[in-house]
Amino acid sequence: MGPVVLTRGPGARSCPEAAADGWEDWTLALRGEPRLRIQGLGAPGHLSRKLLARGLDGVWDGEECRVRVASSLARSRRSASVERASVRVAFRPAGLRIQVVQGDEPQGSRSAGRWDLSAPTDTVVLGACLFEWAEMDHFLRTPGLRQL
């Protein structure tokens, strides 16, 4: 598979909000080739959660993509996803695990901080890396228990 490398740099947008919030552009490279670029993401933590909640745009293998998260009291309505025209990689709570799904097919899960991917494709690996590094699991936790 090869290593996945994250490069974070200053955002290309020059609006006052971008400067105040410290927006960054994230590029994920697999086997030395840039594959996924997300625009306007912040440093992990409170700022990135604020920006993720709005939804972010990017480019994935030359196609426009969208990063979306949803949080709710209802467990079934919590999700995180990276979508482009040809594919969608989604993450959702499943018991004590987080399940990763490509299209409608389960691809694996994360439990106790460890990923178990059945047949890791480049698409699923890049989605899982973005999920981890952007701390999107925050949106899959029960809202009342997040602060504990």
Side-chain angles (χ1 to χ4, degrees), residues 11-48:
R13 298 179 184 161
S14 59
C15 64
E17 184 181 17
D21 285 345
W23 291 4
E24 301 175 342
D25 287 349
W26 286 24
T27 303
L28 279 73
L30 181 61
R31 293 184 218 82
E33 179 184 336
R35 301 281 304 274
L36 175 61
R37 181 183 171 117
I38 304 298
Q39 301 167 343
L41 189 56
H46 177 73
L47 176 61
S48 73

Side-chain angles (χ1 to χ4, degrees), residues 56-94:
L56 296 169
D57 296 317
V59 177
W60 192 348
D61 288 338
E63 292 181 57
E64 290 186 16
C65 70
R66 183 88 174 145
V67 178
R68 301 173 193 266
V69 294
S71 183
S72 172
L73 285 174
R75 182 180 191 85
S76 62
R77 299 187 65 194
R78 295 182 219 147
S79 67
S81 66
V82 185
E83 307 169 14
R84 59 182 177 171
S86 59
V87 70
R88 178 177 191 256
V89 177
F91 304 86
R92 58 184 177 218

